[in-house]
Amino acid sequence: MSTLSNRPRRSVLYMPGSNARVLEKAKSLNADSLILDLEDAVAPEKKSEARDLVCRAVKGGGYGHRELILRINGLDTPWGEEDLAAAMAAQPNAILVPKIFNPADVMRIAETINAGGVPLTTELWIMMETPLAMLNAGAIAEIAKDPDARLSCMVMGTNDLAKDTKAALTAGRAPMVPWLMTCIAAARAFGLNIIDGVYNDFADLQGFADECRQGREMGMDGKTLIHPKQIDPCNEAFSPNHEQVSMARKIMAAFELPENVGKGAIQLEGKMVERLHCDMAAQLVAVAEAIEARDA
């Protein structure tokens, strides 16, 4: 089974693969992860050029702590197979596959990657953006039990979901909440990270902040972004604050006391705290320490 990563994936910025200047600029941005995109952000006549640019960028390095994810076109498109072959040769941190419908789609990609001898350091990410993917979310996530699947992360594609279901992208995302929570439950059941969809109006900073807060409260690990100005507020929204980390450490320390080692619940600062809260505290501290290490 995949093991949930504590690697910071708060801000995951889409970068158009056809723009060499933007790909170079990304080396100085404060995003945790970069999706170098060959799909939606690239016009059909630019696909081949973008593929070459992105693969050279990945092989050239210079991105520091930033995780590099290469999003290919679907294998049912004229560009998908060449994209996948090029991505396998470039060996980014992860290959992101769009238009997943069922578990077989995931395994077909994984088998191709494995047959190509790509190191296990290249993981598989998938877009959750189709109505069938919503219906099959649990079965898709369960593929992560097979280490050969390489599956480590789900990325919500809310724009495509809205298009295919005719659900409105409203403030608060009420029509989307059932699908978002279904995918979060599926991801957590099988040890996967999950990244929230984009917020389209990058000039609406308050709306963006509200949606970041909603995603964090739902349990998302981070959010996909479409503009660099969204990076810093997104990092802040998905980072544990000082008070949360301090309390988490107090909980952990309290359960480590000799008189509490065998207890399932204790009182701390006037509140009942259970052993499960200690586990949650340890996870929060691990995330905070990973962020601190990244920033250092």
Side-chain angles (χ1 to χ4, degrees):
M1 181 184 292
S2 176
T3 301
L4 185 65
S5 173
N6 289 322
R7 178 171 186 162
R9 286 169 175 159
R10 301 163 296 173
S11 50
V12 183
L13 179 65
Y14 284 106
M15 309 297 294
S18 56
N19 191 323
R21 182 184 61 81
V22 167
L23 293 176
E24 183 65 26
K25 174 68 174 175
K27 295 178 180 179
S28 65
L29 298 177
N30 195 34
D32 289 332
S33 307
L34 303 170
I35 296 177
L36 310 183
D37 192 18
L38 301 180
E39 196 209 14
D40 288 345
V42 180
E45 65 273 13
K46 293 282 189 179
K47 297 287 189 183
S48 179
E49 176 186 349
R51 184 187 305 125
D52 292 341
L53 281 173
V54 164
C55 290
R56 283 203 304 271
V58 172
K59 292 176 182 177
Y63 287 89
H65 68 266
R66 299 161 192 84
E67 186 177 30
L68 298 183
I69 300 95
L70 200 161
R71 181 164 76 164
I72 66 173
N73 288 277
L75 294 192
D76 59 345
T77 70
W79 315 282
E81 290 188 4
E82 288 186 68
D83 285 352
L84 180 57
M88 289 166 57
Q91 298 179 14
N93 295 108
I95 297 172
L96 174 57
V97 183
K99 303 298 185 289
I100 292 296
F101 299 100
N102 54 54
D105 293 337
V106 182
M107 285 309 301
R108 186 162 56 250
I109 298 286
E111 287 166 1
T112 300
I113 296 173
N114 292 333
V118 179
L120 292 175
T121 50
T122 295
E123 299 175 349
L124 184 60
W125 290 23
I126 57 173
M127 296 295 306
M128 297 295 285
E129 58 185 349
T130 68
L132 268 176
M134 300 303 100
L135 296 176
N136 293 326
I140 290 170
E142 191 174 9
I143 289 292
K145 291 168 65 176
D146 183 347
D148 288 338
R150 297 176 182 245
L151 183 59
S152 65
C153 188
M154 291 176 157
V155 180
M156 297 306 303
T158 45
N159 282 335
D160 279 273
L161 268 177
K163 174 177 70 70
D164 289 350
T165 62
K166 299 185 179 180
L169 285 170
T170 59
R173 300 190 292 183
M176 292 276 166
V177 167
W179 299 322
L180 295 170
M181 294 308 304
T182 293
C183 289
I184 289 169
R188 298 309 184 216
F190 298 102
L192 298 173
N193 284 115
I194 182 166
I195 310 299
D196 203 356
V198 301
Y199 188 79
N200 296 311
D201 186 358
F202 59 81
D204 179 8
L205 297 182
Q206 185 58 56
F208 176 70
D210 290 343
E211 196 164 288
C212 283
R213 182 173 61 253
Q214 181 197 41
R216 183 196 68 226
E217 291 173 352
M218 285 178 168
M220 296 286 182
D221 294 298
K223 191 168 183 64
T224 44
L225 313 177
I226 59 171
H227 195 282
K229 70 164 55 175
Q230 296 177 322
I231 294 173
D232 287 341
C234 186
N235 284 344
E236 181 178 0
F238 283 95
S239 297
N241 61 40
H242 175 75
E243 290 75 17
Q244 290 170 326
V245 175
S246 177
M247 178 53 69
R249 288 192 166 122
K250 286 181 182 179
I251 292 171
M252 293 167 65
F255 273 100
E256 289 172 358
L257 293 173
E259 62 268 30
N260 294 331
V261 168
K263 293 182 179 178
I266 61 173
Q267 288 191 37
L268 181 65
E269 297 186 359
K271 296 180 181 179
M272 185 65 68
V273 181
E274 298 181 48
R275 181 68 61 177
L276 65 89
H277 295 120
C278 185
D279 295 339
M280 293 167 64
Q283 185 177 26
L284 185 145
V285 169
V287 170
E289 290 178 346
I291 292 169
E292 184 179 354
R294 196 226 78 163
D295 291 343

